[in-house]
Amino acid sequence: MNSMIKTSFRSLAVVAALALLAPGTRAQAPRSWIIVGADVADGSGSGLRRVNVRVVNDRIVSVGSGGPQSGDAVVAGTGKVVAPGFIDIHNHSADELANDPAAATQVAQGITTAVVGPDGGSPWPIGEYLTARRTSPAALNVAAFAGHATIRRVVMGDDFKRPARPEEVARMATLLDQAMREGAVGLSSGLEYEVGGYAETSELVELSKVAARYGGVYMSHIRDEADKSFEAFREAIAIGERAGIAVQISHIKLGTVGVWHKAAEAIALIEAARTRGVDITADEYPYNAWSSTITVLVPDKRYDYPPSVERALADVGGAANVLIVRHAAHPEYEFKTLDAVAKSKSMTAVEMFIQIVKDGGAGVVCTSMVDDDMRAFYQRPWVMVASDGGIGARHPRGAGTFPRVLGKYVRDERWLTLPEAIRKMTSAPADRLKLADRGRIVAGGIADLVMFDAKTVIDRSTFSDPGILPTGIEKVFVGGELVWDSGKPVDARPGKVLMSGRAPSVRQGSYRRVPDWGPGITIDSAGAEIR
Ligand SMILES: [Zn+2]
C-alpha cells in the first residue's frame, strides 16, 4: 500500500520528501503540496482563475499567486482545471462501500463525497452505519440520509400498504429523531415505490418537521414522474411549506409523453414557490433514460391488468424504450428491450410485461425524457448535478454522470458554462446539506479537489456496459490525500463521515429566506450571503 502511494505521488512531485508521505510519519510532519498553473473553478460559479492552490495536511492554506514553499511537493496544473471535489447528493453506494472502499467508479468521476440513503431507503440504524464507515473508511467521504421507507418498515413491518396511524407516525418520528442525532443529513422519501407510496402527505409533513429541527433536508423521489408530475411537484412544495423544511426534488424529470416539453411550466411552479419563500431545489442526472423497477411504469399499480399495462407502455413511447437490465428468473432477457423479448417469445409486449412481473419483476432502463426538458432544468440555478448511481449501478450514470456533464453538456453542447456546472456539483450540494468547509476552493477549506482536462473529459459508460470508467479526470484528492491518479485508484482511504454543520444561523427557523444561487454569489456555511 505504501509503495503505491509513493510511486503515484512521486510521478507528480518535483520535490517530495517521500518520508512525509509514509502513513507512519504522517502525524509528526506536515504534508504540504501545491498545484501550480491550473485554471481554478473555485465552486462559487465565478470565472476560472489561474491561481496556485497550496495544501498542508487536509486543508487548503492559500489560493493565489504564491509559489511553492520549501518542502512542498509540486503538482503541475498547466492546461488543467482544478475544482472542488464533486459532492453527489444522490448516491446509491451505501452497501457497496464496505466491499469496495476504493470505489473506483465513483472516484474516477471526481466524486469526493457520496451522499447515500436516497429514495426512502437507507442503512439502519444510521449511527451504526456511520460508525462502520469511520472504522473502515473508503477513498471518499460519505454522508447519509435517513430513509422514510426504511423507518416505515421498522414501525409497520409487512403491514405497510395503508396510511400509518397517528401512533405509528409518532413512533417513526422518534426513530427519525434518533437518526438525525446520529448524523443523518435529512429525510429521504421514495413515494413512487412500494413502501413509501402508501404514506399520506401528512405523514411526510410530520416527519419532515423532525428533520427540520436539526436543519435537515427533505429529499424526495416524488410521487409521480409521469402524467401526474405536477401533482407530485405540488405535494413536495406543500411538504416544504407545511413543515418549514428545505426540500430537494430528486432527479427532476418529466417522464411520459403526456408531460414532455412542459419543463417551463414545472419551472414556473417551483419558482413561484421559491418566490413565496419555500426553500426548494432539485438535482438531475444527465441521461434521457431512467432506471428503476419495471412496476414503476404502471402508476395505478395494476400490474396484471392489460389496459393499465398497455397505457403505461404507450406513455413511455412503447416497449422498445424499455430495456430489461435485471431479471433473476431469466437472465437471458437482460440487456434486451421488452419489445425484443416479447417478439422472441411470440407474445405481445403487454403479455410479456405481466409475465415478467409474475416471475419476480425486473430492473429496467426506460428511455422517456426529452432533451429540451433536461436542458431547461439544468439551466436553472437551483438544479444541481447528481448521479442517482453508485458502485455497481446498472445504468451508465453510475460511472459516468459528472464527466458526462463536463464533456457533453458543458464542452460539446454548451448547455452550461464550466464554472456554473462545477458550482452545481460542489458548493450547491455542500450548502444544501450545510457541509462545513466543503465545496469551495478557499483558504481554510478542506482539500477535497479534482484536477481534470476540460478538453478531453468525457464519460464512456453505456447502457450495455455501464461500468466503463470515464477519461479526463486526472487527479482526485480527498482531505489532501491523493486517491485517483492518471486513470488508476491509489490505495488510500482518507474518506470521512460528514454530517451537517447545523450551525445556528440567521435563517434558523426562518426557511423563508431562499439563497439566491446566481453566479458569483456564495452562501457560507452559516447561511450568510457573501459576494
Ligand atoms: Zn429515485
Side-chain angles (χ1 to χ4, degrees):
M1 158 177 167
N2 299 347
S3 65
M4 223 174 137
I5 294 175
K6 285 177 185 170
T7 310
S8 51
F9 212 85
R10 188 189 291 127
S11 67
L12 61 87
V14 172
V15 184
L18 287 175
L20 298 184
L21 298 171
T25 58
R26 214 169 264 158
Q28 293 95 38
R31 202 163 40 102
S32 63
W33 49 276
I34 184 167
I35 303 176
V36 174
D39 293 317
V40 172
D42 65 9
S44 70
S46 54
L48 298 175
R49 289 181 297 151
R50 188 155 300 168
V51 287
N52 302 333
V53 180
R54 185 163 181 268
V55 174
V56 175
N57 294 327
D58 64 343
R59 296 266 171 184
I60 298 164
V61 294
S62 70
V63 182
S65 55
Q69 299 191 11
S70 119
D72 283 357
V74 176
V75 179
T78 305
K80 313 294 185 224
V81 172
V82 170
F86 306 146
I87 297 169
D88 187 6
I89 198 169
H90 191 121
N91 190 290
H92 285 282
S93 300
D95 296 340
E96 292 78 5
L97 280 174
N99 304 321
D100 182 12
T105 52
Q106 309 304 291
V107 173
Q109 296 182 59
I111 299 174
T112 56
T113 297
V115 183
V116 302
D119 291 328
S122 71
W124 195 261
I126 291 286
E128 221 166 82
Y129 177 79
L130 295 180
T131 298
R133 301 283 73 72
R134 287 188 189 96
T135 312
S136 311
L140 74 178
N141 308 308
V142 63
F145 274 88
H148 163 249
T150 300
I151 293 172
R152 205 165 195 268
R153 278 305 286 273
V154 171
V155 171
M156 299 175 75
D158 290 336
D159 181 24
F160 58 77
K161 293 190 176 183
R162 58 177 174 83
R165 291 185 280 269
E167 65 273 19
E168 289 169 327
V169 176
R171 173 84 183 121
M172 288 184 222
T174 304
L175 293 178
L176 177 60
D177 190 273
Q178 170 201 326
M180 294 303 297
R181 284 170 196 275
E182 289 172 352
V185 294
L187 173 70
S188 78
S189 74
L191 304 184
E192 212 174 15
Y193 293 116
E194 251 322 82
V195 179
Y198 295 95
E200 293 177 324
T201 304
S202 57
E203 175 181 327
L204 298 155
V205 170
E206 289 314 304
L207 296 178
S208 291
K209 285 177 184 168
V210 175
R213 284 208 297 269
Y214 295 89
V217 174
Y218 170 69
M219 184 169 85
S220 184
H221 175 143
I222 60 177
R223 212 174 281 272
D224 191 283
E225 298 183 325
D227 285 3
K228 292 182 180 158
S229 290
F230 284 80
E231 281 172 46
F233 290 138
R234 281 189 201 95
E235 183 187 34
I237 292 165
I239 291 167
E241 217 151 21
R242 288 167 58 186
I245 194 167
V247 175
Q248 176 91 358
I249 296 176
S250 291
H251 41 64
I252 191 166
K253 67 171 76 81
L254 294 164
T256 45
V257 175
V259 287
W260 281 353
H261 310 292
K262 292 190 176 174
E265 282 172 56
I267 288 165
L269 178 69
I270 291 165
E271 294 189 349
R274 288 172 57 84
T275 301
R276 64 177 189 269
V278 184
D279 182 2
I280 183 164
T281 53
D283 54 73
E284 184 182 18
Y285 55 70
Y287 296 85
N288 64 359
W290 52 257
S291 151
S292 189
T293 52
I294 196 165
T295 47
V296 160
L297 281 161
V298 186
D300 67 7
K301 297 190 169 64
R302 298 169 78 183
Y303 314 124
D304 55 359
Y305 181 56
S308 287
V309 174
E310 190 162 356
R311 170 80 205 277
L313 295 177
D315 276 347
V316 295
N321 282 342
V322 180
L323 181 75
I324 295 158
V325 293
R326 190 187 326 239
H327 182 48
H330 295 280
E332 70 273 18
Y333 297 176
E334 292 178 5
F335 300 107
K336 296 193 175 94
T337 67
L338 179 64
D339 187 57
V341 173
K343 280 181 179 143
S344 75
K345 299 275 168 189
S346 304
M347 293 165 82
T348 68
V350 171
E351 289 163 351
M352 195 71 236
F353 179 102
I354 291 170
Q355 188 59 49
I356 286 173
V357 173
K358 264 186 204 150
D359 290 345
V364 297
V365 167
C366 182
T367 304
S368 70
M369 283 88 84
V370 291
D371 272 10
D372 61 338
D373 289 333
M374 285 174 58
R375 183 179 58 236
F377 286 131
Y378 262 141
Q379 289 181 341
R380 302 319 299 164
W382 45 269
V383 176
M384 304 166 200
V385 175
S387 77
D388 191 14
I391 298 166
R394 292 204 174 190
H395 184 295
R397 65 191 183 214
T401 289
F402 293 84
R404 182 175 174 87
V405 170
L406 296 171
K408 182 172 168 63
Y409 294 117
V410 171
R411 182 186 59 233
D412 298 342
E413 304 197 8
R414 297 177 184 270
W415 286 9
L416 298 165
T417 65
L418 181 60
E420 174 62 1
I422 295 290
R423 187 188 64 79
K424 290 171 178 290
M425 303 172 174
T426 58
S427 69
D431 292 345
R432 198 69 182 131
L433 300 176
K434 304 187 181 78
L435 301 178
D437 302 331
R438 312 269 169 177
R440 285 188 182 75
I441 297 182
V442 288
I446 299 282
D448 291 347
L449 298 168
V450 52
M451 185 164 99
F452 62 94
D453 187 335
K455 296 180 291 300
T456 62
V457 64
I458 197 71
D459 61 306
R460 296 194 305 154
S461 50
T462 62
F463 284 98
S464 52
D465 212 342
I468 307 182
L469 301 182
T471 53
I473 303 287
E474 303 197 348
K475 295 186 196 300
V476 180
F477 299 88
V478 172
E481 285 197 49
L482 188 66
V483 297
W484 183 260
D485 189 15
S486 312
K488 287 186 293 295
V490 175
D491 192 9
R493 305 283 181 266
K496 296 270 192 297
V497 167
L498 306 187
M499 302 191 291
S500 289
R502 296 170 196 188
S505 77
V506 288
R507 287 214 181 84
Q508 201 169 47
S510 159
Y511 69 99
R512 296 196 166 274
R513 284 195 58 214
V514 178
D516 173 10
W517 277 333
I521 296 173
T522 58
I523 313 292
D524 75 7
S525 59
E529 282 179 16
I530 320 164
R531 280 182 192 265

